[in-house]
Amino acid sequence: MKLVTSQRSPNFNDRPISVDFVVLHYTAGSLARTLELFMDPAREVSAHLVVDLDGTVHELVPCLEGRALRAWHAGVSRLEADGVLVEGFNDRAVGIEIVNLNGNIFPYTEQQYAALSAVMEKLKAHYPALGRPESVVGHEQVAGFRGKCDPGLCFDWARFFSMCYPGQPVPRRESIVTPEVVARLKSMLDTAGVKFDPRQGSVFLPEGVTDSFFNELSSLSEELLRKKG
């Protein structure tokens, strides 16, 4: 695993958290745009780790050496776990952002799954609660009521759990995204001229289509899902 620690986000609380969970997200933008947002104190948003397309892991808020500080990635969040309502995942979870323009449309890379497996090995070695596969959730599992829908339909949970928790029962992780929302997103991509080559795993962006387009696409998903809920 290639690890980069040269940049640290200013958006965190300088106090340790008890790590009971890992929350997976997708970035809805490029690595450069994600780092720009997380390094901007005015944005008040961050994650502990960002996993790039090539598997490079950027640690923006400390967590990998056994002392995790409080990043700002989950927002208002809750989950019923083992019959108990758990709230406030910033206070108890490592947040991992995976670079993907939209995880409900585009697949994740081989290198990203390999990097996630390596990251989970390091985290499990430091935080005993992460020994259970139930401890890993998507943002949509803890904030779907706000329309959050990442890591999305294209994240292969079965693959992730087989790599990170071999031989253990696979928890149920279903995306909240509906076929109607996916159709709407694909229609917008077609209109904008965005193309995906499944053989190369590459996305073609025509001139004028920037990260802001995918931020808006993600916001639209959230709006549609909130209305549905």
Side-chain angles (χ1 to χ4, degrees), residues 59-169:
E59 186 182 39
L60 303 184
V61 178
C63 69
L64 289 175
E65 297 305 321
R67 183 174 183 269
L69 302 181
R70 185 180 185 273
W72 305 342
H73 61 97
V76 179
S77 46
R78 59 177 180 260
L79 175 72
E80 186 171 319
D82 299 324
V84 177
L85 182 64
V86 180
E87 299 183 275
F89 275 72
N90 284 345
D91 295 325
R92 63 188 73 246
V94 165
I96 302 178
E97 290 272 358
I98 314 167
V99 174
N100 190 308
L101 296 175
N102 192 297
N104 291 295
I105 302 295
F106 304 116
Y108 293 84
T109 69
E110 300 283 334
Q111 296 92 330
Q112 287 175 324
Y113 285 108
L116 285 171
S117 180
V119 163
M120 289 305 303
E121 285 304 303
K122 288 186 71 70
L123 293 176
K124 287 189 293 182
H126 290 300
Y127 309 109
L130 301 185
R132 303 169 64 242
E134 291 82 6
S135 65
V136 185
V137 295
H139 200 195
E140 55 196 324
Q141 274 80 52
V142 301
F145 61 91
R146 294 195 289 122
K148 300 299 180 181
C149 53
D150 48 323
L153 283 168
C154 294
F155 187 77
D156 191 338
W157 281 105
R159 180 179 184 182
F160 171 85
F161 283 123
S162 69
M163 294 176 71
C164 300
Y165 295 92
Q168 297 195 50

Side-chain angles (χ1 to χ4, degrees), residues 27-37 99-102 205-206 208-219:
T27 58
S30 65
L31 173 69
R33 179 57 174 164
T34 300
L35 295 179
E36 178 187 340
L37 293 174
V99 174
N100 190 308
L101 296 175
N102 192 297
L205 303 181
V209 175
T210 64
D211 280 310
S212 61
F213 171 80
F214 292 97
N215 295 156
E216 293 168 7
L217 207 65
S218 184
S219 297

Side-chain angles (χ1 to χ4, degrees), residues 167-218:
Q168 297 195 50
V170 175
R172 186 175 181 178
R173 297 285 181 264
E174 292 186 355
S175 177
I176 66 169
V177 174
T178 64
E180 293 78 15
V181 170
V182 172
R184 179 78 175 271
L185 298 179
K186 287 184 175 180
S187 175
M188 292 181 67
L189 290 170
D190 288 342
T191 300
V194 177
K195 305 295 182 184
F196 174 67
D197 182 351
R199 294 170 299 176
Q200 301 294 325
S202 57
V203 180
F204 168 75
L205 303 181
E207 186 176 354
V209 175
T210 64
D211 280 310
S212 61
F213 171 80
F214 292 97
N215 295 156
E216 293 168 7
L217 207 65
S218 184

